[in-house]
């Protein structure tokens, strides 16, 4: 029996490592990813200011996985009815699969935005952002479109970089809704805005970007001049799912024996709540789907009459974290933290995740880099 894990982000790598432990030896496990390594996405913004961190937040898949076959290819289509994944180098037939391809940056068909703005999804994006930022003339304005977690973090890094380099830059963070981090609790939103503004980020909410030229960004009733434009204003599904994020129930089933795990889908959990697109949710979904896949494999060829029931996923958010330059904001239960306690939690979470995927040395290096920046 062949099990395919399509994508090796948070969901895919966590799922593959769990399946390596639990699948019977007779099962074939194949992991398909468009790169030979795994990127710790929630630390990517750090590379804008500290390029050396790139090595610490990438993990070779051959090092992280033991028995899985790693196939480096791009998934272009998934036919869950036929059990076939189309790849840019051929086909992969499977018996059970999990689509863990993550999400891509959504530009919402806003005229000029995709052409003019740099997203932050890959290491080359971070390198480009840094280079262009340092090359700006004194007093240059950088506009970050979208004040979700990614936008908040990159805005914070840029103001910290300007301070370290002793250069004059304005970092302007735009959000179309009325608050930063709008999908999070109100107390968290308020603390994040205070942290941003205390570190020199100019925040403007209620500003929906409508179009962009090579010099200006047009919002309703306002035109903003800029020298550098970054875009973190939303996500869409992967190309293999035609840019859609299919809605799936708490069993995370796409159809047949194909599951969607992580940001590639929009999940409603067992309590009827929408699950946020986040690393924490992706990791927890992966553990849930691992149990469902193991049950399917163990049922194959058995004499049991009824098919196993997939596990129902329930998301219990442990809390929320975001870094803002050398600061951070954390919420655990109803309590919101800023300052040293929040930054320590952020560092611990990053190092803990790296350790969980077997990258112990990377975790230690990340902690050393963070401590050195204090």
């Amino acid at each position: 029996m062949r099990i395919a894990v399509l994508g090796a982000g948070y969901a895919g790598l966590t799922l593959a490592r769990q399946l390596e432990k639990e699948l019977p030896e007779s099962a074939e496990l194949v992991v398909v990813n468009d790169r030979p390594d795994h990127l710790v996405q929630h630390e990517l913004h750090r590379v804008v200011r500290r390029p050396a961190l790139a090595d610490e937040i990438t993990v070779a898949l051959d090092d992280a996985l033991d028995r899985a076959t790693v196939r480096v290819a791009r998934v272009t289509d998934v036919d869950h009815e036929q059990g076939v994944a189309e790849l840019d180098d051929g086909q992969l037939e499977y018996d059970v699969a999990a689509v863990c391809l993550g999400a891509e940056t959504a530009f919402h068909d806003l005229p000029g935005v995709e052409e003019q703005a740099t997203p932050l999804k890959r290491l080359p994006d971070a390198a480009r952002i840094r280079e262009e930022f340092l090359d700006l003339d004194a007093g240059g304005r950088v506009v970050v479109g979208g004040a979700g977690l990614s936008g908040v973090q990159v805005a914070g890094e840029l103001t910290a970089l300007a301070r370290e380099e002793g250069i004059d830059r304005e970092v302007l963070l735009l959000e179309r809704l009325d608050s930063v981090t709008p999908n999070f609790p109100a107390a968290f939103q308020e603390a994040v805005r205070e942290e941003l503004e205390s570190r020199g980020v100019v925040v403007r909410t209620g500003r929906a970007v409508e179009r962009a030229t090579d010099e200006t960004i047009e919002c309703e009733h306002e035109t903003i001049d800029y020298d550098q434009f970054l875009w973190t204003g939303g996500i869409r599904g992967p190309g293999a799912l035609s840019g859609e994020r299919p809605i799936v129930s708490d069993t995370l089933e796409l159809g047949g024996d194909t599951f969607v795990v992580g940001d590639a889908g929009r999940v409603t959990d067992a309590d009827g709540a929408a699950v946020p697109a986040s690393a924490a949710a992706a990791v927890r979904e992966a553990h849930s789907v691992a149990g469902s896949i193991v049950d399917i494999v163990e049922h194959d060829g058995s004499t049991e009459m009824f098919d196993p029931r997939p596990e129902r996923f329930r998301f219990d958010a442990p809390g929320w974290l975001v870094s803002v330059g050398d600061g951070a904001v954390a919420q655990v239960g109803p309590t919101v933290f800023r300052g040293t306690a929040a930054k320590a939690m952020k560092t611990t979470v990053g190092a803990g995740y790296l350790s969980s995927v077997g990258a112990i040395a990377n975790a230690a290096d990340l902690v050393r880099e963070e401590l050195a920046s204090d």
Side-chain angles (χ1 to χ4, degrees), residues 202-224:
V202 179
V203 179
R204 295 185 192 172
T205 53
R207 303 297 205 281
V209 173
E210 295 182 342
R211 60 182 54 82
T213 71
D214 59 357
E215 295 182 344
T216 64
I217 296 164
E218 294 184 27
C219 304
E220 186 178 15
H221 309 308
E222 183 178 17
T223 297
I224 300 170

Side-chain angles (χ1 to χ4, degrees), residues 281-331:
V283 168
R284 285 164 173 76
E285 289 171 22
H287 286 299
S288 180
V289 168
S292 299
I293 291 176
V294 170
D295 287 346
I296 292 170
V297 173
E298 292 180 343
H299 177 76
D300 183 59
S302 74
T303 57
E304 294 183 19
M305 182 177 299
F306 300 104
D307 292 338
R309 292 182 178 179
E311 292 190 17
R312 299 181 66 195
F313 175 68
R314 178 174 282 104
F315 182 60
D316 183 16
W320 305 109
L321 282 165
V322 64
S323 62
V324 186
D326 289 325
V329 178
Q331 180 166 355

Side-chain angles (χ1 to χ4, degrees), residues 18 63-64 167 182 267 291 321:
Q18 192 71 22
D63 292 338
I167 54 180
V267 181
L321 282 165

Side-chain angles (χ1 to χ4, degrees), residues 8-10 13 33-47 50-65 121-126 350-351 353-355 357-366 369:
Y10 292 109
L13 184 56
N33 198 51
D34 61 356
R35 294 178 52 87
D37 50 40
H38 165 78
L39 176 66
V40 183
Q41 189 77 35
H42 70 268
E43 298 288 351
L44 179 58
H45 63 284
R46 292 292 196 198
V47 180
R50 308 205 183 287
L53 278 178
D55 292 337
E56 274 68 70
I57 66 169
T58 52
V59 182
L61 294 178
D62 286 340
D63 292 338
L65 298 168
K121 294 294 287 185
R122 304 277 186 169
L123 287 170
D125 296 333
Y353 173 74
L354 282 165
S355 298
V357 296
I360 306 298
N362 298 57
D365 288 342
L366 179 65
E369 286 278 354

Side-chain angles (χ1 to χ4, degrees), residues 57-105:
I57 66 169
T58 52
V59 182
L61 294 178
D62 286 340
D63 292 338
L65 298 168
D66 294 324
R67 56 171 283 201
T69 299
V70 176
R71 183 166 172 179
V72 180
R74 184 170 60 87
V75 182
T76 59
D77 189 50
V78 179
D79 186 339
H80 63 266
E81 294 180 350
Q82 297 298 319
V84 175
E86 297 288 345
L87 313 180
D88 60 1
D89 65 356
Q91 281 188 339
L92 177 67
E93 296 180 357
Y94 62 81
D95 299 292
V96 186
V99 181
C100 309
L101 295 169
E104 299 176 5
T105 301

Side-chain angles (χ1 to χ4, degrees), residues 1 3 19-29 66-68 297-298:
M1 208 172 179
I3 296 87
L19 291 175
E20 285 189 327
K21 299 174 185 176
E22 298 183 11
L23 284 175
E25 289 296 326
S26 59
E28 179 188 3
L29 179 60
D66 294 324
R67 56 171 283 201
V297 173
E298 292 180 343

